[in-house]
Amino acid sequence: MTGEMYLKEFFDGNSKTAYEFFGCHKAENGFVFRVWAPKAKSVRIVGDFNGWNNEKSFMREIAAGVWEGTIESASVFDNYKYCIEKKSGGQVLKSDPYAFHTCTRPDNASKVYSVDGFHWNDKKYFE
């Protein structure tokens, strides 16, 4: 499915596979991150890979409120969050609602992770 198709289903309220598009996914040149932040002035990715520096790794708005960015230096198990600059001023750090892996409480950062090649073993359960 193309990015346009995922976005159409998402905005139409018909998406059952938004997790395949949003969140953190392995890409050719690192990891691509996507988040829906419709009220954001800007969004950045902060984490272990950039020293949690919120002046680096700006994302670009690819559709109404949908932000995307690629981090070449990200590695599996790196902690990260989205740094959302509010239109009203100020910034807030948010965990990734579509993360495949997260820190153990009481920490709450998301973790870079790839499920590519994972073989599910729950067929019996679904039967």
Side-chain angles (χ1 to χ4, degrees):
M1 188 178 309
T2 67
E4 288 177 0
M5 293 170 70
Y6 279 113
L7 289 171
K8 179 175 180 356
E9 283 186 353
F10 180 76
F11 287 124
D12 287 348
N14 296 319
S15 179
K16 294 180 181 144
T17 58
Y19 64 91
E20 293 177 358
F21 181 75
F22 289 102
C24 173
H25 298 274
K26 182 77 175 120
E28 273 185 34
N29 56 340
F31 284 86
V32 63
F33 298 77
R34 293 185 196 97
V35 66
W36 186 52
K39 296 184 180 183
K41 181 176 180 182
S42 71
V43 181
R44 302 144 196 187
I45 311 162
V46 296
D48 295 339
F49 40 77
N50 64 9
W52 292 87
N53 184 336
N54 64 359
E55 293 304 318
K56 294 182 177 180
S57 308
F58 280 81
M59 300 175 81
R60 63 186 178 91
E61 192 170 15
I62 61 169
V66 178
W67 300 81
E68 178 181 270
T70 301
I71 304 291
E72 293 178 11
S73 60
S75 299
V76 171
F77 298 120
D78 279 351
N79 296 317
Y80 73 95
K81 288 188 177 186
Y82 296 115
C83 178
I84 298 174
E85 180 183 12
K86 299 184 282 184
K87 289 180 181 175
S88 61
Q91 298 175 346
V92 62
L93 292 176
K94 293 286 190 176
S95 298
D96 188 342
Y98 286 97
F100 289 120
H101 194 21
T102 60
C103 290
T104 303
R105 62 180 184 266
D107 295 331
N108 60 7
S110 302
K111 285 190 172 283
V112 174
Y113 195 71
S114 177
V115 295
D116 292 347
F118 182 82
H119 299 287
W120 296 95
N121 298 310
D122 56 358
K123 185 177 178 183
K124 264 189 167 176
Y125 171 79
F126 278 101
E127 288 175 356

